Amino acid sequence: MFKSTFIKINFINYAIVLLLIFSSKTIAQSKENGLSANSKWSEKAAVTILNKYPKAWQIDGTEKPKWDYKMSLVLFSFEKLYEKTKDKKYLNYIKEYADEMIDSSGNIKKYEIKEYNIDYVNPGKLLFNLYEETKDNRYLKVTQQLRNQLESQPRTTSGGFWHKQIYPNQMWIDGLYMAEPFYAQYTVKYENGKALDDIAKQFELVQNHLVDKKTGLVYQAWDESKQIGWANPETGTSPTIWGRGIGWYMMALVETLDYFPKSHPKQKELVTFLNEISKNIIKYKSTSGLWYQVTDKPEMKDNFVESSSSAMIIYSLAKGTDKGYLPASYKKTAQKSFDAFIKEFVKTEANNEIIISNVSSNVGLGGKPFRDGSNEYYIKSKTKDNSSPALAAFILSAAELGK
């Protein structure tokens, strides 16, 4: 009896010691990463990234340094955090990536213009501020290289940028985000805005060819030739309205408008496009205020609310309201949806870092094996935790809402 009681007491004491050790370790980790339970959501997400990926090129588990839109999306959110906090760790993370990817002569490592991959243009956005901060001419030279790519980028006969050389006659909705904010910033800063009409034209082509007449939402892609296997034989559009595609498009609008002068004749047109897509996307949010992977078919079997699209839409609504493009009521919608996002997708770990769940994996069209772009293809795509589109858009939405 005595021996049994003694063993029980020792076991309890041992458990208490383990709990104290674990608690002390957790507190130490939280102090080390600078986070507390009261830290802003944007900072929790940013520190989560910094700790998991000491080098920005490692984002999403990338094994070799790569000039890529995934890194630039995250680093763009870090740039916004740096603007708000003046914390140099965010700027340094951006600069280290640029210096890893740009050689001493001012050339992007392993960059081939002949691929005409429009995704390569997106990281150029990071270089405007880096050049202003450092006056390092390498950064300016790379922005000029990327502008030259756009100058010779293959186009549809109607004037839209091909997504890549390997996808002839095709405009993809994410290509608007990859190119237009950079293009607008460059042409306003260095060319007296000479290309603004061309930029507006890219959005006009989306309105004319990628917007679904029934829902007012956008398809992921359009083949002007209508020859590729996934293309609707009448319209040329791909089959599915993908949540993240809508997010890419809305972000492309709000970020391009940052550089479009109000005096320009096409500025009001872009604001109208933003109002139209915002009005229509609100109709398709879930009861909690989030958005589905296949956005217009929430009732489809195995369809799911998806985090990256939801965060991108929240950010776009909040920014659009703050800039005066959208009615004030959209800010309240964004705030409610942000709160729903936290409940649905965000788990806070013991050290106050976070996990964002239900991120759609990267999906595409065509290629080998052939991707048919069907609703089922999108729904069956595996989801991930803490993938870059969700983390970056979450930081942007949190920063825009002051969270």
Side-chain angles (χ1 to χ4, degrees):
M1 176 80 178
F2 175 78
K3 186 176 180 181
S4 174
T5 303
F6 178 77
I7 290 170
K8 284 180 181 177
I9 291 170
N10 273 333
F11 179 78
I12 291 167
N13 288 340
Y14 179 69
I16 290 170
V17 169
L18 283 178
L19 183 63
L20 288 171
I21 290 170
F22 177 76
S23 299
S24 299
K25 187 177 181 181
T26 301
I27 291 167
Q29 286 176 335
S30 291
K31 285 181 178 177
E32 186 178 330
N33 67 20
L35 295 177
S36 72
N38 295 323
S39 295
K40 290 186 176 182
W41 286 114
S42 54
E43 293 167 357
K44 288 180 180 180
V47 171
T48 299
I49 293 166
L50 287 168
N51 287 346
K52 187 168 185 180
Y53 305 116
K55 300 286 186 182
W57 62 260
Q58 298 170 322
I59 285 168
D60 284 348
T62 307
E63 294 182 355
K64 295 180 180 178
K66 186 178 181 182
W67 185 258
D68 193 82
Y69 76 90
K70 296 174 196 171
M71 293 78 189
S72 62
L73 180 59
V74 171
L75 296 176
F76 179 74
S77 72
F78 275 44
E79 185 173 277
K80 298 307 169 188
L81 273 186
Y82 174 63
E83 288 174 7
K84 284 182 175 290
T85 65
K86 301 305 176 188
D87 189 330
K88 282 291 181 74
K89 71 172 176 278
Y90 301 128
L91 178 64
N92 291 340
Y93 196 58
I94 298 167
K95 187 176 184 301
E96 285 171 8
Y97 174 72
D99 291 345
E100 181 80 42
M101 296 309 308
I102 299 170
D103 66 23
S104 58
S105 300
N107 297 299
I108 306 166
K109 296 175 183 176
K110 299 182 180 179
Y111 166 77
E112 294 286 348
I113 189 173
K114 64 185 179 183
E115 294 179 18
Y116 286 109
N117 184 341
I118 211 160
D119 293 343
Y120 292 160
V121 176
N122 193 260
K125 294 188 305 185
L126 304 169
L127 304 179
F128 294 105
N129 185 59
L130 282 180
Y131 178 65
E132 292 300 322
E133 291 271 349
T134 66
K135 300 303 179 186
D136 186 332
N137 280 321
R138 293 179 306 136
Y139 303 141
L140 179 60
K141 185 177 177 181
V142 171
T143 62
Q144 292 165 344
Q145 290 171 358
L146 296 171
R147 175 65 182 91
N148 289 338
Q149 177 183 324
L150 289 177
E151 195 65 21
S152 55
Q153 185 84 9
R155 295 177 182 245
T156 65
T157 57
S158 53
F161 290 130
W162 290 10
H163 195 65
K164 297 180 183 179
Q165 180 71 43
I166 59 172
Y167 298 138
N169 306 305
Q170 297 171 28
M171 287 186 74
W172 290 25
I173 197 67
D174 38 318
L176 276 287
Y177 180 80
M178 300 305 158
E180 311 320 323
F182 168 86
Y183 195 10
Q185 189 171 2
Y186 189 97
T187 198
V188 168
K189 191 174 182 67
Y190 298 120
E191 301 175 332
N192 200 28
K194 75 173 188 179
L196 288 173
D197 283 341
D198 188 37
I199 293 163
K201 186 180 186 66
Q202 307 305 310
F203 290 98
E204 291 166 353
L205 288 167
V206 168
Q207 292 296 308
N208 293 337
H209 299 287
L210 283 97
V211 172
D212 175 50
K213 291 179 181 177
K214 181 181 176 183
T215 63
L217 303 177
V218 289
Y219 290 102
Q220 187 179 357
W222 169 61
D223 174 16
E224 186 182 54
S225 72
K226 303 175 187 174
Q227 296 300 306
I228 192 75
W230 50 255
N232 182 305
E234 294 181 5
T235 64
T237 58
S238 56
T240 299
I241 293 173
W242 178 42
R244 190 149 81 222
I246 295 167
W248 287 128
Y249 184 56
M250 293 181 70
M251 291 203 305
L253 279 164
V254 294
E255 290 176 13
T256 299
L257 278 165
D258 276 341
Y259 308 104
F260 240 87
K262 287 184 178 180
S263 59
H264 193 277
K266 299 290 187 180
Q267 195 266 358
K268 288 183 180 178
E269 180 182 67
L270 297 188
V271 170
T272 299
F273 295 162
L274 178 61
N275 274 268
E276 288 173 358
I277 191 73
S278 298
K279 178 185 70 177
N280 292 321
I281 194 60
I282 293 298
K283 299 174 187 175
Y284 288 91
K285 69 181 190 299
S286 70
T287 52
S288 64
L290 302 168
W291 285 271
Y292 285 84
Q293 170 79 339
V294 177
T295 314
D296 63 325
K297 295 180 175 63
E299 74 288 346
M300 274 195 75
K301 185 177 183 294
D302 298 327
N303 201 1
F304 57 93
V305 288
E306 197 275 328
S307 55
S308 68
S309 58
S310 296
M312 288 175 172
I313 293 165
I314 292 165
Y315 161 62
S316 301
L317 293 175
K319 183 177 175 70
T321 307
D322 288 343
K323 290 287 188 176
Y325 309 136
L326 297 174
S329 60
Y330 286 99
K331 186 70 171 284
K332 292 179 181 178
T333 300
Q335 289 169 336
K336 288 179 181 178
S337 294
F338 185 87
D339 293 339
F341 186 102
I342 299 295
K343 291 177 183 177
E344 180 72 29
F345 301 123
V346 179
K347 177 184 175 184
T348 303
E349 298 193 288
N351 63 357
N352 292 306
E353 293 176 20
I354 66 169
I355 296 172
I356 299 177
S357 62
N358 268 37
V359 192
S360 168
S361 57
N362 292 329
V363 294
L365 297 161
K368 294 180 182 180
F370 187 79
R371 298 167 293 180
D372 65 1
S374 64
N375 292 172
E376 291 76 13
Y377 163 71
Y378 285 81
I379 288 173
K380 289 178 181 177
S381 67
K382 293 181 180 179
T383 59
K384 301 178 180 180
D385 290 344
N386 277 6
S387 193
S388 57
L391 282 166
F394 179 67
I395 292 171
L396 289 167
S397 60
E400 196 67 39
L401 291 166
K403 300 286 187 178

